[in-house]
Amino acid sequence: MLDLNIPATTSTPCIRTDTARGVLHMSGDSYPENAFEFFQPVLDWVQAYLGDSSLPLQLDIGLLYLNTSSIRIMMDIFDSAEEAFVAGRDIRLVWHYQPENERVAELAEEFSEDCSFPFEIMAYTG
Amino acid sequence: MAKPADLDDTIRALLADPQWQGHPLHQALDGLYSLYCDHTEQLERMTRISDRYQKAEHDRGMSYAGRHEQQMKRLARLLRISDRYQQSLQQLNEELRQQSEQDELTGLYNRRYMQARLRDELARQQRGGRPFCVVLGDVDHFKRINDAAGHEAGDLVLQQVADLLLSRLRQTDYCARWGGEEFLLLLPMTEAVEADMLVRDVMQKMAGMHITGMPDGTVLSMSFGIAQSGLPAAVSVEALIAQADAAMYAAKHAGRNQLSHAD
């Protein structure tokens, strides 16, 4: 499975996947012009990873601002993760935020409402 | 009239009774009865099938409704999260705007914001508005305060000066930290005579002010230069400030703790 390594721009987040370790990392601001096009490789990776193996998946999130389409896509990704978790998969998510930006934590909290898998919201330290 | 179940029994008994075998009506009743039974069975089957279709349709409708409700909930959450992101952007925007206009130490306007205000005010006056005054004030012997009591005490003094200036200004006046210990007042629709009174009031209050963070008995003073717009030499913001600056230096040279008007 091909891993993704997309560097951040001012309007799109940094995206990295590590199939060997089962990690999907997304961080930064996300307001791409065409969010569905931008995130399609990520959605594909998630579908393939969840479909091809039964290994654990860790979502490593450090997203700041999300436009509406990006929120929608995150909800889709988390739904897929939730489905896999309910089916017995080891899924966990950590949402990192800067302690001075408490709003990010509040919004991560909103996302966590429909997720029953471990969903941690953690301030970066140091 | 007999009930249908009783009628059924009666007919079956009659058809089974040996004494009616061979009776001309027996054959006709037998045929009619079996036709009736077939029809009844057919009708029941049709009803059962129809009921099952109805139930399937009902279930399908319920699942649509359920899915619809789920989608609506999801959409509502999407909108809520999206709204919150927008709110947080707006707040951030407001914070940045304040940061870009404010002097961090004193909370007064910064030099950049004041320059824009000065340009606006000059444009207004040149369109035929009333003159305004620019006042530059510099804390006397501030270097001594810093050297003797340290930079933190110096910062505290600047904050107190800022508070005093704000408390004496009118609602329509603007006050900025112009440089280290230098402050600029923009007094719209004000002539030099009125500016003179306002500055004297500030000086008087300052002379009687208790200075937190400094030894008891420390008296603070400032030197001020006042320039009024609308005079031939004050054609630009820069020229006006240069005039106020020159006047302030004249006040310094004349012994400090005083004000001086631009020529």
Side-chain angles (χ1 to χ4, degrees):
Chain A
M1 218 163 107
L2 215 60
D3 268 320
L4 304 172
N5 193 352
I6 306 168
T9 70
T10 49
S11 60
T12 57
C14 157
I15 292 175
R16 281 197 308 267
T17 64
D18 185 340
T19 308
R21 287 175 52 234
V23 178
L24 166 60
H25 168 90
M26 294 185 274
S27 62
D29 286 324
S30 181
Y31 43 99
E33 248 180 69
N34 188 337
F36 290 94
E37 198 176 295
F38 177 79
F39 280 105
Q40 195 56 54
V42 184
L43 294 166
D44 290 345
W45 185 88
V46 171
Q47 285 314 317
Y49 182 80
L50 290 177
D52 291 354
S53 75
S54 53
L55 296 170
L57 171 64
Q58 179 173 348
L59 299 160
D60 179 35
I61 313 277
L63 293 167
L64 297 168
Y65 173 72
L66 297 172
N67 69 1
T68 309
S69 307
S70 303
I71 297 167
R72 163 81 201 281
I73 286 156
M74 288 310 128
M75 288 169 83
D76 284 346
I77 292 174
F78 297 170
D79 277 357
S80 302
E82 174 69 15
E83 220 173 277
F85 178 74
V86 170
R89 193 75 172 257
D90 178 0
I91 308 273
R92 49 188 248 105
L93 183 152
V94 182
W95 197 308
H96 298 279
Y97 71 98
Q98 300 288 349
E100 63 268 23
N101 203 346
E102 198 61 39
R103 290 181 207 120
V104 172
E106 286 170 28
L107 283 155
E109 195 99 29
E110 287 268 9
F111 276 108
S112 74
E113 271 174 31
D114 274 357
C115 304
S116 62
F117 54 82
F119 195 117
E120 245 184 298
I121 302 165
M122 269 172 63
Y124 286 114
T125 47
Chain B
M1 204 180 132
K3 282 188 229 156
D6 297 341
L7 188 62
D8 255 351
D9 291 344
T10 313
I11 290 171
R12 260 191 247 118
L14 281 171
L15 287 173
D17 193 335
Q19 69 167 310
W20 300 119
Q21 306 298 319
H23 188 281
L25 285 179
H26 182 274
Q27 205 186 346
L29 184 64
D30 191 22
L32 190 64
Y33 184 63
S34 68
L35 198 64
Y36 160 77
C37 286
D38 284 355
H39 281 174
T40 305
E41 197 191 304
Q42 245 175 37
L43 191 65
E44 275 169 3
R45 263 185 66 206
M46 271 167 63
T47 310
R48 268 202 310 277
I49 291 169
S50 169
D51 281 356
R52 281 173 61 183
Y53 268 117
Q54 242 176 40
K55 187 173 179 319
E57 276 305 300
H58 179 257
D59 288 352
R60 202 149 66 123
M62 287 308 281
S63 84
Y64 280 144
R67 273 215 298 274
H68 176 69
E69 200 181 328
Q70 215 180 346
Q71 290 291 330
M72 287 303 283
K73 263 161 88 175
R74 198 181 145 91
L75 187 63
R77 211 153 60 83
L78 178 73
L79 292 178
R80 198 169 64 234
I81 295 177
S82 181
D83 283 354
R84 289 188 60 174
Y85 270 113
Q86 273 178 47
Q87 272 167 19
S88 74
L89 267 197
Q90 208 175 11
Q91 281 172 18
L92 188 67
N93 207 13
E94 179 58 22
E95 279 168 23
L96 288 177
R97 189 187 62 76
Q98 272 183 15
Q99 278 172 25
S100 73
E101 292 178 354
Q102 255 181 7
D103 170 58
E104 210 178 342
L105 176 68
T106 59
L108 297 176
Y109 288 119
N110 61 21
R111 188 179 176 117
R112 193 170 61 154
Y113 176 82
M114 192 55 121
Q115 241 145 1
R117 296 276 347 120
L118 284 163
R119 276 195 297 275
D120 290 351
E121 203 52 43
L122 187 65
R124 191 164 305 151
Q125 191 259 307
Q126 284 171 344
R127 272 204 316 272
R130 282 184 54 196
F132 63 96
C133 276
V134 171
V135 180
L136 266 174
D138 190 85
V139 180
D140 293 331
H141 300 300
F142 186 70
K143 195 178 173 311
R144 282 190 206 163
I145 297 173
N146 259 344
D147 290 347
H151 284 281
E152 274 179 38
D155 284 353
L156 201 57
V157 166
L158 292 176
Q159 285 168 343
Q160 292 173 78
V161 169
D163 291 347
L164 174 72
L165 289 171
L166 279 183
S167 72
R168 305 318 295 173
L169 291 182
R170 301 158 302 182
Q171 214 174 355
T172 46
D173 298 332
Y174 293 89
C175 183
R177 181 161 173 224
W178 196 245
E181 66 268 26
E182 203 175 5
F183 296 84
L184 187 144
L185 311 180
L186 166 59
L187 315 174
M189 297 196 286
T190 304
E191 290 185 23
V193 190
E194 298 165 82
D196 188 288
M197 278 162 54
L198 193 139
V199 172
R200 283 184 198 284
D201 171 59
V202 169
M203 291 172 70
Q204 196 192 341
K205 288 289 179 299
M206 189 167 285
M209 182 167 74
H210 168 75
I211 318 287
T212 308
M214 295 297 290
D216 280 346
T218 305
V219 177
L220 207 59
S221 71
M222 286 176 81
S223 302
F224 291 95
I226 299 172
Q228 187 191 306
S229 72
L231 303 174
V235 288
S236 67
V237 168
E238 291 70 25
L240 203 53
I241 293 169
Q243 285 185 333
D245 197 51
M248 186 199 57
Y249 274 99
K252 287 271 186 198
H253 286 304
R256 296 185 171 85
N257 193 21
Q258 51 193 289
L259 66 82
S260 166
H261 287 268
D263 302 328

